[in-house]
Amino acid sequence: MIARGRSYADETVDLKTRALCTVSCLIGLGEQPYIETWVANAITAGATVEEIASLMSQLFVYVGTLKSVTGFNALAAVRDRLESAATADAE
């Protein structure tokens, strides 16, 4: 646990880039629940939905269709939750 804390506290690579790298690795592993968590973390760190979708398009060639679809499904789930929360806040 301490090793991860130190890694994320290291300012050599900014938090948004670290989060996007984590999303990439998790897509390569095909771990949808973790992908959703890290997609949300990447957005919190400043990434846009468009940047994450572009990243997933890049990964498609390297990780294959099934894992890429898993990534896009995770992104859609996070996007839908964010949109629902925004709609609820507006009401």
Side-chain angles (χ1 to χ4, degrees), residues 42-91:
I43 290 169
T44 299
T48 66
V49 170
E50 293 78 16
E51 288 173 320
I52 297 167
S54 177
L55 170 74
M56 290 180 184
S57 294
Q58 175 72 29
L59 290 172
F60 187 85
V61 176
Y62 298 99
V63 301
T65 302
L66 295 177
K67 290 179 180 175
S68 295
V69 169
T70 298
F72 279 110
N73 288 340
L75 177 59
V78 171
R79 185 199 60 225
D80 292 347
R81 281 197 306 268
L82 292 173
E83 289 174 356
S84 292
T87 301
D89 288 345
E91 294 175 351

Side-chain angles (χ1 to χ4, degrees), residues 4-78:
R4 278 187 262 161
R6 286 185 184 151
S7 294
Y8 278 90
D10 180 358
E11 296 180 3
T12 306
V13 176
D14 64 274
L15 192 56
K16 174 181 157 182
T17 303
R18 287 180 193 278
L20 291 171
C21 287
T22 303
V23 168
S24 297
C25 291
L26 291 170
I27 289 170
L29 294 170
E31 298 289 338
Q32 182 161 354
Y34 298 111
I35 298 167
E36 288 186 31
T37 298
W38 276 96
V39 164
N41 289 345
I43 290 169
T44 299
T48 66
V49 170
E50 293 78 16
E51 288 173 320
I52 297 167
S54 177
L55 170 74
M56 290 180 184
S57 294
Q58 175 72 29
L59 290 172
F60 187 85
V61 176
Y62 298 99
V63 301
T65 302
L66 295 177
K67 290 179 180 175
S68 295
V69 169
T70 298
F72 279 110
N73 288 340
L75 177 59
V78 171

